[in-house]
Amino acid sequence: MAASVGLIPGVAQAGPATPGTAGTHGVTVPDVDLNKAAASNFTTFKSPAEQTVQTSSADRANGKAAASPQAEGVTTSEPTVGLIAKGTSARGISLDVAVTSDPGTALSVNVAWGDGTSVTFGANGPTNSTETHSYSEIGSYTVKVTLSDGSGERAVNQLQVVTPGSDFTPYAPTRLLDTRDGTGAPKGKVAPYATTRVKISGNGAIPAGVTAVVLNVTATNTTSGGHVTVFPEGSDRPTTSNVNFSAGQTVPNLVIVPVNKNGYVDLYNGGWEPVDLIADITGYFTRTSSSGYTPLSPSRFLDTREGLGQVAGQGTIGVQITGKGGIPYGATAVALNVTVTNPREDGHLTVFPSGGSVPTTSNLNFRGGQTVANSVIVPVGPDGSIKVRNGAWKGTDVIVDVVGYYSPDSQGAYLPFLPERLLDTRDPADWPYGQLEGQGYIYMPLSTTRPSNTAYVLNTTVTNPRGDGYLTVSPDPNSLYDYDNGWADWPTPPNSSNLNWKKGNTVPNLVQAGMGNNGIVDFWNRGWDPIDLVVDIFGVYQTN
């Protein structure tokens, strides 16, 4: 990954909460191969010197050399300029400018970035310079470099560049894959240690050129334990996982995954037995200006336990999104964590934009009496609200926590990574402190470039829990300097949750972790018993 992404491969743990103490100590996790992780985003664009067009006079246009001697400041050969551009961040590029001209020839070099802005510098003879630029909008631009002297323009070269980052476009919840009935793939379970692919680009109204896609992936009809890994078709399968399941479970998880150039992603069954897989889309990313992302401190927008009463079986409840909690009226989609608790029987929830019919998709599945959470990214309806439908025949309580939103005015553009593991408390070689204690937290410094990195897309997995509990992920109010010098205060976790577990379960959930003011993210064990925690990184939102 380019240095501008600024991930710090280090974490530290705080012990269980006791009055007046923080009890921290530092530890290092394996270095993430950041250049490898983001290499697919940072395309190199070239326009060699041979493509320079001479423009200064009719004689030069006809390829004739000037007759005046070089001593009078006129070249005996025509100047040229070669261009190489590389992506450096979501909106940023660097441009290598190689001017070739006779020694002592004074030229003015103007770089027009294609967005109405430009920069000019001087070249005296052969000159190499690197110029950098950050675009205000995601998209494709034509960079034009002009060489001039006192007689006017001498030469021009240009090249087309595309910003590395991507903006988000909401998509009405739609089922793209269901191996139970043959939707999007041959009917029948996915064999153990085998993959099935899902067509993204060009499927329905989804355009070509999708760089990443938001899918809710569900494993069902499971007969043994296993996991599902989602990754771009044709790339090496990562060692990370997106969905973990046990025999008899139906388990969903939200996934934001890069899409290969042919428009497909693969779903791999890492279990011992065949399994049915489902994938529902709620949005996609392209290198065309659309909606950026703004993270928020987790905030509770709905809790039916607080006087509203359960959502009835086959019933629907609305949640106003825009105009509350800092979310503007122009928001196009919202990032949520949705939790079911106290369900009176088995069922599922469907989250969808208001103003439309209930889709055939689902966002989370639950058993009677179970508390279960899942991340959701959903379009916002015309009136600024969303709806949550209880697909069971009996009532359940529903909790909705908002973690961010997408809007045309938001600046966070997405850079997907090839997945990398940041933390695994089960591995003593990288984490010598064992399980995360109950009511304790791990703080993870993620960003050195605030405020350009606003949020990271992570997958958090709790495994080997010794009791019931829930995980909360939130920005840390302390700085790394505070921790290094022992001045950090014990943070207050927010009144929200990211995933819930029962004793002995393995539970994953996607987290869009905001950076706050200090680039540090806290992972809280809100249960009373120790857990193992695994954190994988999938991408970053950047504003530059």
Side-chain angles (χ1 to χ4, degrees):
M1 183 185 305
S4 61
V5 175
L7 185 83
I8 306 174
V11 297
Q13 175 175 347
T18 56
T21 67
T24 62
H25 53 267
V27 68
T28 299
V29 296
D31 285 348
V32 181
D33 188 349
L34 302 179
N35 287 305
K36 174 184 174 183
S40 61
N41 299 301
F42 299 123
T43 304
T44 298
F45 307 91
K46 297 182 180 181
S47 184
E50 291 78 9
Q51 295 184 11
T52 302
V53 177
Q54 311 299 333
T55 62
S56 60
S57 70
D59 283 344
R60 292 189 177 101
N62 292 326
K64 298 178 180 179
S68 301
Q70 183 175 347
E72 296 180 9
V74 179
T75 62
T76 58
S77 61
E78 296 303 321
T80 62
V81 58
L83 307 176
I84 300 177
K86 298 178 182 178
T88 58
S89 62
R91 289 182 171 82
I93 66 168
S94 67
L95 178 68
D96 293 336
V97 181
V99 177
T100 301
S101 64
D102 288 335
T105 300
L107 294 170
S108 174
V109 183
N110 177 264
V111 180
W113 296 108
D115 61 354
T117 66
S118 64
V119 62
T120 301
F121 62 92
N124 192 1
T127 302
N128 294 312
S129 180
T130 299
E131 305 297 321
T132 60
H133 185 64
S134 182
Y135 292 97
S136 61
E137 297 289 343
I138 293 297
S140 176
Y141 297 90
T142 300
V143 178
K144 181 180 179 180
V145 177
T146 303
L147 307 182
S148 303
D149 61 11
S151 65
E153 286 188 6
R154 294 291 302 279
V156 174
N157 197 356
Q158 61 185 30
L159 80 167
Q160 197 84 6
V161 298
V162 181
T163 53
S166 299
D167 270 2
F168 179 74
T169 299
Y171 197 82
T174 304
R175 183 145 292 173
L176 300 184
L177 173 73
D178 190 339
T179 61
R180 299 171 303 178
D181 61 14
T183 298
K187 182 178 179 180
K189 289 185 174 184
V190 179
Y193 311 117
T195 61
T196 186
R197 70 176 190 168
V198 182
K199 181 176 175 61
I200 306 297
S201 297
N203 193 343
I206 306 170
V210 170
T211 58
V213 63
V214 178
L215 298 173
N216 198 68
V217 176
T218 303
T220 190
N221 296 325
T222 58
T223 55
S224 66
H227 67 272
V228 178
T229 299
V230 188
F231 59 102
E233 186 191 42
S235 66
D236 293 336
R237 176 170 50 85
T239 58
T240 56
S241 62
N242 299 95
V243 181
N244 298 74
F245 55 84
S246 300
Q249 283 189 318
T250 295
V251 182
N253 196 16
L254 193 69
V255 175
I256 301 178
V257 59
V259 177
N260 79 347
K261 63 180 181 180
N262 295 320
Y264 288 88
V265 299
D266 279 344
L267 279 67
Y268 170 78
N269 173 18
W272 292 89
E273 302 289 343
V275 64
D276 277 313
L277 297 178
I278 302 166
D280 301 324
I281 184 174
T282 60
Y284 56 83
F285 295 86
T286 62
R287 290 190 173 103
T288 301
S289 183
S290 182
S291 291
Y293 182 66
T294 298
L296 298 171
S297 294
S299 178
R300 185 145 292 174
F301 272 44
L302 174 70
D303 189 340
T304 60
R305 299 171 301 179
E306 298 179 352
L308 293 175
Q310 291 192 323
V311 181
Q314 304 296 302
T316 300
I317 188 170
V319 183
Q320 182 65 35
I321 297 297
T322 62
K324 294 177 56 179
I327 301 178
Y329 288 103
T332 58
V334 63
L336 312 168
N337 205 70
V338 179
T339 304
V340 162
T341 190
N342 306 317
R344 295 164 59 192
E345 68 171 18
D346 299 355
H348 67 273
L349 284 190
T350 298
V351 186
F352 60 102
S354 63
S357 57
V358 180
T360 58
T361 58
S362 64
N363 295 93
L364 59 87
N365 300 72
F366 51 86
R367 300 236 182 216
Q370 184 182 23
T371 296
V372 59
N374 197 25
S375 289
V376 174
I377 296 175
V378 61
V380 175
D383 63 354
S385 70
I386 62 170
K387 292 187 178 295
V388 183
R389 182 178 184 272
N390 174 15
W393 291 101
K394 295 182 180 180
T396 184
D397 281 309
V398 175
I399 302 166
V400 175
D401 297 321
V402 173
V403 299
Y405 65 88
Y406 298 87
S407 78
D409 294 330
S410 297
Q411 293 299 303
Y414 186 58
L415 282 172
F417 299 166
L418 299 177
E420 295 279 347
R421 182 145 291 172
L422 297 183
L423 171 69
D424 188 341
T425 61
R426 301 169 300 180
D427 187 348
D430 298 311
W431 180 263
Y433 305 103
Q435 291 189 307
L436 173 59
E437 296 293 332
Q439 301 301 309
Y441 73 100
I442 290 172
Y443 67 89
M444 185 178 291
L446 283 173
S447 179
T448 61
T449 55
R450 277 287 304 164
S452 63
N453 294 347
T454 62
Y456 281 93
V457 175
L458 309 171
N459 204 66
T460 56
T461 303
V462 167
T463 190
N464 305 318
R466 299 187 194 177
D468 300 351
Y470 66 96
L471 187 79
T472 293
V473 182
S474 61
D476 193 310
N478 299 295
S479 68
L480 189 59
Y481 186 79
D482 293 333
Y483 278 110
D484 289 344
N485 289 278
W487 300 335
D489 294 324
W490 188 267
T492 300
N495 182 29
S496 62
S497 64
N498 293 91
L499 63 85
N500 300 70
W501 65 82
K502 291 287 188 180
K503 180 180 179 180
N505 285 353
T506 296
V507 182
N509 200 12
L510 182 134
V511 175
Q512 301 212 118
M515 294 293 95
N517 294 320
N518 299 302
I520 300 176
V521 176
D522 292 338
F523 300 83
W524 289 87
N525 174 7
R526 303 305 304 280
W528 293 103
D529 300 288
I531 62 170
D532 277 313
L533 177 64
V534 180
V535 180
D536 300 319
I537 185 169
F538 289 85
V540 64
Y541 291 96
Q542 287 190 325
T543 59
N544 69 343

